[in-house]
Amino acid sequence: GYGLGIGAVLFVMVDLLQTLDRFLRIKPPLHLILQHLLFRFPAEIYKGFPLIMLVATIFLFLSLARQHELTALKAAGISLYRVSRPVLLLAFGVSVASGLFQETLLPILNAKADEVDRVKIRGELPRHLQRRTQIWFRSANTRFFRMELLDPVDQVMDGLTLMEINQDYRLLSRLDARQARWTADGWEFRDGMFREFSPDGQVETVPFRRTTLELPEGIEDFIQIQKSIELMNFLELRAYLMRLKESGHQVGKYLVQLHQKLAFPLINVILVLVAIPFALASPRSGRLIGIGLAILIGIGYWLVHSLALAFAKADMLPPLLAAWTADIVFAGLGLSLFLRART
């Protein structure tokens, strides 16, 4: 409880330091600032919860040792393993709850926070209504779109090129239009030219001023914005990576983030397992020493995880192993120290 309270205060202070200049410049209403904090708060606490669990565990066992309660428990025949069991079970429950939160509520809250920050406070259009330029769009294995400008509000594409190829990557047809507009009857093309390429190299050219064409793609296929990684849960990210892989894209850099969504919630129970023997190693230490110890353990975990990610980016470590390296190293360290501790 103390950890959550301190974490909440620190989050508000840090967030205001980062956003205060923008708030003073834009001067949004107070309720929008409160919405911003409300939607950001759960995600930041989720990220900081392993450290809260670590500090709480160190404080707990330092207190038990300093007040000789742990000695009394051992004298009564209650081993360290039995004393630690409810703490480890609670940590495991927190890990499970963190995983469920990550898969259900976290993407929704992140999306809401992004909407409040960008749309309501900054006054920008939603992402799916923003104009975009120089777009390449692959709608199927054989159909490619290129557009100079996409205007979702007017539902217009300027400078459009539509190309059809066969399975052997031979160009079958090409349509160029100054403008394409989405209507109730389908796509309406203006001021363009249609070319059809025969197998023997002949080209048939048909210019047009205005024509309509039925295509499987509607305007929603072009204005739909792919979620960022932070707004996806594990299943959504895995499906997204499968689509990228089927399209021939390299997905290695995303695989680490996919596996990390499984590895991160377990940090809660792993850091608790590490904290117990470290706290018992210096039972007479004060709380300041306990905080320092927690910070050192947290920095150690961060360094191992960062090194693993760096190796993965350099293709020196598989993405699956990179995501789990810090968990494996600290789980092994914690289990080894825990089993060697005097029970």
Side-chain angles (χ1 to χ4, degrees):
Y2 290 144
L4 284 174
I6 294 173
V9 172
L10 289 176
F11 159 70
V12 173
M13 292 175 60
V14 172
D15 188 84
L16 286 177
L17 286 175
Q18 293 176 342
T19 58
L20 188 59
D21 58 336
R22 187 170 76 241
F23 289 159
L24 291 176
R25 185 176 65 255
I26 301 176
K27 295 182 175 58
L30 179 61
H31 72 276
L32 291 182
I33 298 177
L34 294 178
Q35 284 184 30
H36 163 84
L37 295 173
L38 180 64
F39 288 129
R40 292 286 182 192
F41 175 75
E44 296 303 320
I45 290 296
Y46 165 78
K47 295 176 185 177
F49 214 91
L51 184 60
I52 294 174
M53 295 288 290
L54 176 65
V55 173
T57 304
I58 290 177
F59 277 16
L60 169 63
F61 279 87
L62 282 178
S63 178
L64 289 175
R66 291 183 65 193
Q67 298 177 25
H68 303 290
E69 294 179 71
L70 197 57
T71 303
L73 288 167
K74 291 179 179 180
I78 300 176
S79 69
L80 175 64
Y81 300 149
R82 187 175 171 188
V83 172
S84 304
R85 185 166 57 189
V87 179
L88 292 172
L89 287 175
L90 176 62
F92 181 76
V94 169
S95 294
V96 172
S98 296
L100 294 175
F101 174 75
Q102 173 189 265
E103 291 300 297
T104 55
L105 294 177
L106 184 60
I108 298 173
L109 292 172
N110 282 337
K112 291 285 188 182
D114 184 69
E115 179 185 357
V116 169
D117 188 58
R118 295 181 62 259
V119 179
K120 295 183 178 180
I121 293 180
R122 299 185 187 181
E124 300 177 3
L125 286 173
R127 292 184 186 273
H128 69 282
L129 294 180
Q130 291 182 355
R131 288 188 172 193
R132 288 171 286 157
T133 59
Q134 305 297 332
I135 300 173
W136 279 93
F137 182 84
R138 180 179 181 177
S139 65
N141 290 332
T142 60
R143 187 181 302 112
F144 297 85
F145 292 79
R146 182 190 179 279
M147 56 203 80
E148 294 288 343
L149 174 68
L150 172 63
D151 187 347
V153 177
D154 292 333
Q155 299 186 341
V156 167
M157 294 186 293
D158 290 340
L160 174 68
T161 298
L162 169 59
M163 293 177 288
E164 290 273 0
I165 63 173
N166 62 12
Q167 296 297 330
D168 298 325
Y169 301 100
R170 188 179 67 83
L171 185 61
L172 299 178
S173 65
R174 170 171 171 163
L175 183 146
D176 294 275
R178 181 180 61 83
Q179 187 180 84
R181 181 179 297 275
W182 176 251
T183 67
D185 299 325
W187 287 104
E188 180 183 89
F189 300 92
R190 298 180 181 180
D191 302 329
M193 188 174 297
F194 177 77
R195 299 180 180 91
E196 191 169 11
F197 303 87
S198 62
D200 59 0
Q202 299 295 320
V203 181
E204 182 180 354
T205 303
V206 180
F208 59 84
R209 294 285 298 173
R210 178 177 298 182
T211 185
T212 58
L213 184 64
E214 290 187 8
L215 294 174
E217 298 81 16
I219 188 64
E220 292 296 330
D221 295 305
F222 297 100
I223 66 176
Q224 183 180 9
I225 299 296
Q226 178 63 51
K227 292 181 180 179
S228 63
I229 302 300
E230 293 76 16
L231 303 184
M232 296 185 195
N233 58 31
F234 177 82
L235 297 178
E236 290 174 336
L237 181 55
R238 185 176 64 177
Y240 175 57
L241 296 189
M242 290 177 63
R243 292 197 302 271
L244 286 180
K245 193 173 182 180
E246 291 171 356
S247 301
H249 292 83
Q250 297 293 328
V251 297
K253 63 180 180 179
Y254 297 118
L255 284 175
V256 176
Q257 294 169 294
L258 177 68
H259 298 304
Q260 182 65 18
K261 288 185 178 292
L262 295 179
F264 184 80
L266 288 177
I267 299 176
N268 294 283
V269 67
I270 290 173
L271 290 185
V272 166
L273 184 64
V274 174
I276 293 174
F278 268 101
L280 296 178
S282 52
R284 301 302 177 189
S285 301
R287 291 192 172 185
L288 288 178
I289 300 297
I291 292 177
L293 185 61
I295 292 174
L296 287 177
I297 295 173
I299 291 176
Y301 183 94
W302 178 79
L303 285 176
V304 173
H305 182 62
S306 298
L307 285 173
L309 293 183
F311 281 120
K313 290 180 180 178
D315 293 327
M316 299 175 63
L317 204 62
L320 176 62
L321 185 58
W324 286 92
T325 294
D327 283 27
I328 293 172
V329 169
F330 275 77
L333 175 65
L335 188 61
S336 175
L337 293 175
F338 187 67
L339 294 177
R340 291 181 183 181
R342 295 181 62 183
T343 62

